[in-house]
Amino acid sequence: MIDIEGSVKKYAQEVSLSRKNYIIKPHIDQMDDIVISIANDKTLRDFIKSGSSIKKHELQNLFLTLTNSDKSIMQTRFIDASGKEVIRINRDNGQSLPYIVKESDLQNKSGRDYFQTVSKMNTSTIWHSKLDLNIENGKIEVPYRPTIRIAVPLFIDKKFAGMVICNMLSSELFTSVENSTSFDLFIIDKEGNYILHPNNKYSWNKYTGTKRELYEDFPEDASSILAGRASGAKFFAYPLNSILNNDDKAILILKPKANMIDSLKSSNRTATIIVALLSLMISIPLAIYAARSPIKLQRALQNSNSELKRFSDIIDQYVISTTTKTSGIITSISTAFANISGFSKEEMIGEKMNLIRHPNTPKTVFQDLWNTILKGNQWEGEIQNRAKNGEAYWLEQRIVPIKDENGSITSFMSVGTDHTAKKELEALAMVDKLTHLYNRRKMDECLYIEVEKSKRYNKALSLIMIDIDYFKKVNDTYGHQTGDAVLQEVAELISNNTRKIDCCARYGGEEFLIMCPETSKEGAMTLAEQIRHTIENYTFDTVKHLTISLGVSTYDNNDEMMTLIKKCDEALYTAKHQGRNRVVFHA
C-alpha cells in the first residue's frame, strides 16, 4: 500500500530540487560567474594599482565585451573604494547594444545601501541584492522584468579597493520556474510578499501595490510557512538561501493541485524512485554475492527470505529491471519495465534489447556498454529508448554481469531509474519555449565550440542574424498572441530551410541567429537570401505578409566568438538602415 501523503511530499521534494538545481541554481551560477570573471581579471587589478589611462581603456573594453555576451546584463560597473563610479556600461533595453557611459555622467554611490553593505564585507564573497522590478524613466516597466544586482568586493593587499557590480534581468528564470502540471508554485520573501504567484497579477505585489496576503492562498498554513515550517496539510516549503543568498530570504512553496493525488495514484512516480534505490541495495549486491559462492547464496537466501518476500511484489511493480542472455536476448523483465516501454512481458521476452533501441542513441554508447560488461565489469550510464508507441524515454541504467561458479558470464542484469523528467528539464534549459528553437545560452555554447574548431582545423564558419521588420507594429496592431504566432511561423520557416548541422536559435525578441558550420561567405549569403525570399512570399495567418532583414558574417583567423557575433549584428544594423528586407555581409 503506497503512502500517498508521503509520496506527495517526496514528489514535491523532487519538483523543488528540479527547480532549484536545474533552473534557479544554473541561472544564478551563470550570473555569478560573469561577475567573478570580471573581478578576477588581471586588467582590473592592474588598473586599480596603476590608475593608468591605457589600462582603464582596456578595462572599459573588457566590461563592454562581457556585457555584450549576455543580453540579460543591463549594467556593469566598477566602483572604487570611495564609492565613485569609475566605469559604467549601460544597456537601454534587452535588444540594444551596450555602451560606455561618459565620465561626466558617472556618479558617487557611497551613500547607497549596496555600497555600504559590500564595502564592509571581509572577503571576496558574492553579494546578491533583493529581487525587484526593472524601472525605466522612473516607472516599473511592463511587462514586468525582474532584476537582481550581483556584486563582488575587491581587495588589494587585504584592503578594500572597490567593487564590481552587475544589474541583470531574470525574466527567463521566473518563466522557467513557474511551470508545473502537479503543483502551484509560489516564491515569497521573508515578509510574505509574493515574488512569484501562479496568478501573475499578484507577482511582485510589494512593488506593484497589488494587495494579496499569504493567508488568502494558505489560510491554515500562512503563519507556519513564515515561521519556517517545511510542510503542512496543503503545502511544501523550501528555502532558497543556499542558492540566492540575499535579504529576501526567499522561500519556494509548492501547493498540490486538485488532481495531484489521483495522478500520483496512477503513476506512483515517487515510489518508483524509492523502490529503485531499494533494488540497488538488495538485488545487485545479492546477485554479485551469489555469483561468487553458491553456498553463501543459499545462506543469504535463507537469511533474506522474509525480506525478499516482503519486497518482491513491490520490486516487480516499481523497479525497472531486466535479465538478458549474453547474446542480448531478454529472459525476464519487471512489470515496471513493461509499463514504461509499452510492451507486454510476452512481447519482450525472447526478443533482443534492440526492440527498444532508439535511433538517436549513438553507436559508441553501446560499444562502450558491451566492452565493459563482457569484461565482467559493471556499466553505468544514460540510454535513450523508444517505447512501443514511438515516444522516447530515458533510463539511468546499471548493468551487472552474472557469473557461474567458474567465473564465466552467464547473463546480465540491468536495473534502471526513469530520467525522462530530468531530460525534459535539461531540454527546457536550452530550448526557447515559444519557438522550440535553441535559446541564446545554448547557441552561445554551440558557437563557442565551433569557433574553437575553426581555429584549430581552419574550417569555414558563418553566422546569419535575422530580425523581423517592423515587428513592433504587429504586436501593437494585432496583439501579442498574433505576434507570438508570427514568431513561431518564422522559426518553422527558418528550420525548414536549414540543414541538420546548422544551429538555429531565437536570440532575443524577434531576433534569430543561424550558425552554419563549414559554410563559406557564398554559401551563407545564398542561404540568407533563400530564407529572406521564403518569408517575403509566405502568407501568414493574420498579418498576411512580412519581411526580414539579415546580417551575415564569416569567421576569420582573428575572430573570437563575440567579434563574430558583433560583425553579424553590425551587418544586420546596416541592412535595417538601408531600407530593410535585404541581406548585408560584414567583411
Side-chain angles (χ1 to χ4, degrees):
M1 187 74 177
I2 300 300
D3 176 10
I4 295 300
E5 184 177 349
S7 296
V8 174
K9 183 175 181 179
K10 289 290 186 181
Y11 190 17
Q13 290 173 338
E14 179 189 354
V15 173
S16 71
L17 285 173
S18 72
R19 295 310 192 269
K20 290 168 66 175
N21 294 338
Y22 295 110
I23 297 177
I24 301 176
K25 188 175 187 302
H27 184 88
I28 298 299
D29 285 349
Q30 181 188 19
M31 296 193 294
D32 290 348
D33 289 344
I34 292 172
V35 179
I36 291 171
S37 68
I38 301 174
N40 291 334
D41 192 270
K42 185 176 182 297
T43 306
L44 176 57
R45 304 281 170 168
D46 290 345
F47 169 70
I48 293 173
K49 291 178 180 179
S50 68
S52 162
S53 59
I54 295 175
K55 289 295 181 184
K56 181 177 181 180
H57 179 70
E58 292 177 359
L59 195 58
Q60 285 174 326
N61 288 334
L62 169 67
F63 275 44
L64 190 64
T65 300
L66 285 171
T67 305
N68 195 42
S69 70
D70 192 326
K71 287 189 176 181
S72 67
I73 305 176
M74 302 303 293
Q75 190 178 83
T76 308
R77 291 177 288 167
F78 166 58
I79 300 175
D80 68 16
S82 70
K84 184 176 179 0
E85 291 179 331
V86 180
I87 295 173
R88 187 169 90 216
I89 308 298
N90 276 4
R91 189 196 301 272
D92 292 333
N93 58 64
Q95 307 307 316
S96 64
L97 291 174
Y99 59 89
I100 300 171
V101 175
K102 59 185 180 180
E103 192 163 349
S104 61
D105 290 334
L106 299 178
Q107 301 173 2
N108 190 307
K109 301 294 184 181
S110 59
R112 295 295 181 92
D113 290 344
Y114 60 82
F115 181 81
Q116 292 295 322
T117 300
V118 176
S119 64
K120 291 180 174 62
M121 293 169 65
N122 296 322
T123 59
S124 295
T125 51
I126 297 172
W127 171 84
H128 296 141
S129 73
K130 288 185 177 182
L131 292 161
D132 55 22
L133 297 178
N134 192 55
I135 295 177
E136 293 290 340
N137 301 318
K139 295 182 179 180
I140 295 175
E141 189 174 7
V142 179
Y144 299 149
R145 301 175 74 187
T147 304
I148 185 172
R149 289 189 296 273
I150 300 176
V152 174
L154 304 171
F155 296 92
I156 302 294
D157 297 328
K158 298 183 179 180
K159 293 183 179 180
F160 177 68
M163 58 188 284
V164 172
I165 182 167
C166 287
N167 293 18
M168 298 185 175
L169 296 178
S170 301
S171 306
E172 291 185 7
L173 168 65
F174 288 97
T175 300
S176 301
V177 168
E178 63 187 352
N179 296 316
S180 173
T181 57
S182 302
F183 296 93
D184 286 326
L185 280 83
F186 307 77
I187 297 179
I188 62 169
D189 65 17
K190 63 184 179 182
E191 297 169 349
N193 299 307
Y194 284 112
I195 296 172
L196 178 68
H197 191 284
N199 186 337
N200 282 333
K201 73 177 183 179
Y202 299 130
S203 296
W204 308 101
N205 63 335
K206 177 179 178 180
Y207 301 96
T208 63
T210 305
K211 292 185 178 180
R212 185 70 174 183
E213 300 293 337
L214 188 62
Y215 75 83
E216 294 180 63
D217 295 292
F218 301 93
E220 301 173 3
D221 300 305
S223 58
S224 297
I225 293 171
L226 291 174
R229 277 190 56 193
S231 63
K234 298 178 181 178
F235 80 94
F236 303 93
Y238 305 90
L240 299 178
N241 290 351
S242 61
I243 298 171
L244 189 60
N245 187 18
N246 64 7
D247 197 44
D248 283 324
K249 306 301 180 188
I251 300 171
L252 173 67
I253 308 171
L254 282 72
K255 182 178 183 180
K257 292 184 177 179
N259 62 352
M260 172 63 179
I261 303 300
D262 291 339
S263 174
L264 190 62
K265 285 180 178 177
S266 63
S267 64
N268 287 311
R269 184 176 176 187
T270 304
T272 302
I273 297 171
I274 296 170
V275 178
L277 292 175
L278 175 64
S279 171
L280 293 178
M281 291 187 290
I282 295 177
S283 304
I284 295 178
L286 185 59
I288 297 172
Y289 183 63
R292 293 178 177 175
S293 176
I295 296 174
K296 290 182 179 181
L297 169 61
Q298 185 175 8
R299 292 174 183 169
L301 287 173
Q302 289 172 348
N303 294 334
S304 302
N305 185 53
S306 60
E307 288 297 308
L308 288 174
K309 285 182 178 179
R310 178 181 171 188
F311 293 118
S312 60
D313 289 341
I314 298 177
I315 288 173
D316 180 65
Q317 283 188 353
Y318 301 117
V319 176
I320 301 170
S321 63
T322 61
T323 304
T324 64
K325 295 180 180 178
T326 54
S327 61
I329 293 176
I330 301 168
T331 55
S332 68
I333 68 167
S334 67
T335 300
F337 199 110
N339 290 339
I340 195 171
S341 70
F343 291 97
S344 66
K345 291 185 178 183
E346 292 73 19
E347 288 175 311
M348 294 194 73
I349 293 174
E351 298 290 335
K352 285 194 171 185
M353 291 296 290
N354 289 345
L355 178 67
I356 58 171
R357 179 172 178 174
H358 197 287
N360 289 349
T361 303
K363 292 181 180 179
T364 53
V365 172
F366 294 105
Q367 290 171 352
D368 174 63
L369 187 159
W370 281 105
N371 288 338
T372 301
I373 62 178
L374 288 174
K375 291 177 182 177
N377 299 319
Q378 175 177 304
W379 182 88
E380 297 182 13
E382 282 187 331
I383 294 182
Q384 185 180 23
N385 293 325
R386 183 165 60 184
K388 185 176 182 179
N389 63 4
E391 292 183 359
Y393 63 95
W394 287 85
L395 295 180
E396 173 74 21
Q397 288 189 273
R398 293 166 178 80
I399 302 176
V400 180
I402 307 301
K403 302 177 183 179
D404 61 18
E405 63 272 15
N406 298 318
S408 299
I409 299 173
T410 59
S411 59
F412 301 107
M413 183 176 66
S414 169
V415 177
T417 53
D418 185 1
H419 273 209
T420 307
K422 174 191 170 189
K423 286 295 182 179
E424 289 173 352
L425 283 169
E426 290 175 353
L428 284 174
M430 68 181 185
V431 174
D432 176 65
K433 182 179 178 181
L434 179 66
T435 63
H436 303 296
L437 299 179
Y438 282 145
N439 58 24
R440 183 190 181 111
R441 182 186 301 176
K442 180 62 178 178
M443 171 59 87
D444 286 346
E445 290 177 5
C446 295
L447 184 55
Y448 176 81
I449 292 170
E450 290 301 325
V451 168
E452 293 303 308
K453 286 182 181 177
S454 296
K455 284 181 183 179
R456 176 171 293 187
Y457 303 112
N458 195 30
K459 290 186 176 182
L461 175 64
S462 294
L463 278 186
I464 302 172
M465 190 171 285
I466 300 170
D467 188 85
I468 302 174
D469 295 333
Y470 303 110
F471 183 73
K472 186 177 184 298
K473 288 184 178 179
V474 174
N475 283 333
D476 292 345
T477 305
Y478 301 100
H480 287 277
Q481 286 188 337
T482 297
D484 288 349
V486 167
L487 290 171
Q488 290 171 328
E489 290 179 89
V490 169
E492 185 175 1
L493 292 170
I494 290 172
S495 296
N496 292 341
N497 282 273
T498 51
R499 306 167 298 175
K500 287 185 177 180
I501 65 168
D502 296 331
C503 183
C504 305
R506 182 186 178 195
Y507 212 56
E510 68 272 22
E511 199 170 79
F512 299 86
L513 191 64
I514 306 172
M515 180 183 70
C516 306
E518 301 186 30
T519 304
S520 63
K521 169 190 173 182
E522 292 74 18
M525 291 292 286
T526 299
L527 174 59
E529 183 57 37
Q530 176 184 325
I531 294 172
R532 186 203 65 77
H533 182 266
T534 298
I535 291 177
E536 181 183 29
N537 290 279
Y538 181 80
T539 302
F540 292 85
D541 287 343
T542 302
V543 301
K544 302 307 178 186
H545 294 288
L546 288 171
T547 60
I548 57 173
S549 300
L550 305 93
V552 178
S553 64
T554 57
Y555 171 83
D556 65 39
N557 294 332
N558 296 319
D559 276 328
E560 298 293 340
M561 183 183 82
M562 289 310 305
T563 56
L564 184 60
I565 293 174
K566 185 178 179 182
K567 289 195 303 184
C568 202
D569 189 60
E570 289 174 352
L572 174 61
Y573 180 85
T574 302
K576 291 167 70 175
H577 282 264
Q578 286 182 354
R580 295 180 169 81
N581 191 24
R582 65 192 62 220
V583 179
V584 171
F585 175 77
H586 188 293

